[in-house]
Amino acid sequence: MRAVLDHVGIAVQDLEAALAFYREALGLEVEAPEEVTSQRVRAHFIPAGESSLELLESTASDSAIAKYVEKRGPGLHHITLRVDDIASALAHLTARGVRLVDEQPRPGAEGALVAFIHPSAAHGVLVELKQAAVHADLSIRRVALGSLQLTVLHDGLFRLDGGAMFGVVPRPLWEQKTGADDRNRIQLSMRPLLVEADWGRMLIDCGAGDKWSPKERDIFAFDRSRNLDHALADAGVSSDAIDYVLASHLHFDHFGGATARQREALVPRFSRARHFIRSAEWEDATHPHERNRASYLRDDFVPLKEAGVVDFYEGDQVIKPGVRVVRTGGHTGQHQIVYVESQGRTAVFTADLIPTTAHIQDPWIMGYDLFPMDTLAVKKRVIREAIDREHLMVFEHDPLVPAGYIREQNGRRFVEALR
Ligand SMILES: [Zn+2]
């Protein structure tokens, strides 16, 4: 078990006096306080090298910290050790007969998991174990589907407004699933799907690409330090080996990666590829209105037409053997999902119909959707079918779960992640 000192918790009675000591006398930086409502405590973190001090100020007379101060006076309250895998750390301690306060990890601040070791086992010190929240998983997932090889890739991370991602769902509910930053944005991924078949290699969607101005990078917090190039390399495939690119729809976070800037010119990013685009989606994307103008960027797709590498099609159909598009509407008028089918097995590239695993609950629908009631109707049908027929679902924007199976137990839905 590897443990690193995360912080030292100090119970304070007179906050002003304590701050005066740490801030003025010691010259340390005190961060803005964080309210931990469940513990009725306000935490003031003071970074000190690799670790920090945490001043704990009680906000109710019957809180654990108030009782502690009443009984023992202000002072050292706990130390917190950070571990990589809290469940295995607890198992390790249990096996050695170490007395625990928490047998199971429980949710702590900022999405962390925490558990306390009993002070009697730790020679009079209250020890907290903490597993910091993982904010993203950018490893690729490979899975054979009948005669097809599927690889869930990624094009890095970005952030969008948390409220807009969950529509009418109140913040206290979605916040339990995903933490927002100080600009109210949540972490999202972009995950294109690679299909390898005897007819060639197809990418379904292709991420946001790299044509962004510093201002846009800031707005969307693009983190492409690991991007589609890396993911393709992990899969052992070069950009030049892509034969086809299929768009779920033409929003920048799905199809921005189709073009690249080469000196002053915009060129197809996948030099050998034909690009399948639904005609009606092209119509919408090239005639945006006030509500969708920010999502359709001409530089992402018009250069493809100019280069003569677009194959337009109309209506739902099989694009290549085993790859079938189905219009869902909802998110955009022509938004579509992609069924990949081989030898009785099915994977569904759900695009913005079910952007993250949190969206498997029916009313969790993005505020961005132009026709949310269409999203609801289609989503109900698609999810019912996915549960009944064990469809493998790809969650394009989920930063942690690239793909998985939707299960239902006692009326409760959850996702069994593809490992
Ligand atoms: Zn999207």
Side-chain angles (χ1 to χ4, degrees):
M1 185 167 106
R2 208 181 77 91
V4 180
L5 181 64
D6 185 84
H7 66 265
V8 175
I10 300 164
V12 298
Q13 193 161 31
D14 183 346
L15 182 74
E16 286 314 308
L19 288 178
F21 171 72
Y22 287 101
R23 191 149 50 194
E24 279 131 50
L26 291 182
L28 294 169
E29 191 90 34
V30 183
E31 292 180 348
E34 188 183 316
E35 206 84 26
V36 189
T37 337
S38 60
Q39 302 293 317
R40 285 161 299 167
V41 75
R42 203 171 288 131
H44 304 253
F45 277 96
I46 305 173
E50 300 287 292
S51 313
S52 36
L53 307 175
E54 179 191 31
L55 302 186
L56 293 158
E57 174 198 9
S58 172
T59 55
S61 58
D62 57 346
S63 72
I65 289 296
K67 284 185 188 147
Y68 181 90
V69 169
E70 192 182 291
K71 210 163 118 191
R72 311 169 69 157
L76 217 55
H77 179 262
H78 69 269
I79 65 165
T80 297
L81 300 175
R82 203 164 55 241
V83 295
D84 292 335
D85 182 348
I86 195 167
S88 77
L90 290 175
H92 174 91
L93 293 168
T94 307
R96 275 155 190 76
V98 173
R99 186 169 167 206
L100 302 172
V101 176
D102 301 296
E103 308 269 326
Q104 298 295 328
R106 55 189 175 81
E110 295 178 316
L113 289 172
V114 299
F116 283 95
I117 299 173
H118 201 277
S120 67
H123 305 268
V125 181
L126 179 60
V127 178
E128 179 185 35
L129 297 179
K130 168 179 162 182
Q131 176 186 317
V134 178
H135 296 293
D137 180 347
L138 293 183
S139 47
I140 62 170
R141 296 290 193 282
R142 287 176 78 81
V143 57
L145 188 92
S147 64
L148 305 173
Q149 178 69 45
L150 305 188
T151 309
V152 186
L153 303 167
H154 70 81
D155 191 32
L157 303 165
F158 72 128
R159 288 179 178 271
L160 290 175
D161 185 88
M165 278 306 288
F166 297 112
V168 298
V169 177
R171 177 163 178 160
L173 292 183
W174 60 254
E175 219 168 26
Q176 293 170 19
K177 309 264 181 195
T178 174
D181 66 9
D182 54 0
R183 290 158 75 175
N184 207 42
R185 302 172 303 184
I186 62 166
Q187 185 74 81
L188 297 165
S189 62
M190 293 165 280
R191 301 190 188 274
L193 177 67
L194 172 67
V195 181
E196 294 177 272
D198 52 11
W199 42 257
R201 292 193 181 88
M202 177 188 281
L203 267 187
I204 304 177
D205 281 2
C206 50
D210 204 21
K211 306 187 299 292
W212 301 98
S213 70
K215 187 182 168 193
E216 289 162 330
R217 280 174 213 278
D218 175 59
I219 291 172
F220 297 110
F222 283 115
D223 177 357
R224 297 183 68 263
S225 49
R226 298 279 305 160
N227 61 48
L228 187 55
D229 291 331
H230 302 106
L232 283 168
D234 289 348
V237 174
S238 77
S239 291
D240 297 340
I242 301 298
D243 303 292
Y244 308 101
V245 183
L246 170 63
S248 65
H249 60 305
L250 295 177
H251 280 176
F252 68 76
D253 52 325
H254 296 257
F255 208 62
T259 61
R261 214 177 293 284
Q262 210 175 66
R263 287 176 285 276
E264 289 309 286
L266 286 164
V267 298
R269 148 98 176 275
F270 302 97
S271 56
R272 286 184 45 246
R274 302 295 305 174
H275 298 71
F276 293 111
I277 297 175
R278 196 174 181 112
S279 304
E281 174 68 6
W282 179 272
E283 244 347 86
D284 286 353
T286 50
H287 300 85
H289 50 65
E290 292 78 356
R291 180 77 196 275
N292 63 13
R293 187 158 287 144
S295 300
Y296 286 129
L297 309 180
R298 298 178 66 84
D299 286 354
D300 293 344
F301 39 82
V302 171
L304 300 175
K305 189 172 179 214
E306 287 166 355
V309 294
V310 178
D311 291 328
F312 290 105
Y313 61 91
E314 319 231 359
D316 293 348
Q317 60 188 276
V318 172
I319 300 289
K320 280 279 159 190
V323 178
R324 183 165 61 90
V325 294
V326 174
R327 178 180 160 273
T328 64
H331 182 61
T332 69
Q334 301 297 325
H335 177 272
Q336 44 188 10
I337 58 177
V338 185
Y339 283 83
V340 184
E341 296 154 321
S342 177
Q343 297 172 4
R345 292 194 58 203
T346 301
V348 188
F349 186 82
T350 64
D352 278 337
L353 180 69
I354 313 173
T356 77
T357 51
H359 293 86
I360 61 168
Q361 311 304 336
D362 291 332
W364 292 56
I365 290 171
M366 290 194 279
Y368 294 114
D369 286 13
L370 299 180
F371 311 100
M373 291 310 288
D374 294 345
T375 305
L376 178 65
V378 175
K379 191 164 100 166
K380 280 173 124 165
R381 201 176 67 230
V382 168
I383 290 182
R384 185 73 261 153
E385 202 178 61
I387 294 169
D388 294 346
R389 301 188 191 163
E390 295 232 331
H391 291 171
L392 175 63
M393 311 300 270
V394 178
F395 303 106
E396 193 168 8
H397 289 316
D398 196 300
L400 287 171
V401 182
Y405 297 91
I406 304 178
R407 308 279 190 214
E408 204 167 51
Q409 244 163 37
N410 309 322
R412 203 179 63 87
R413 263 182 215 164
F414 62 96
V415 170
E416 183 190 324
L418 179 73
R419 293 280 153 218

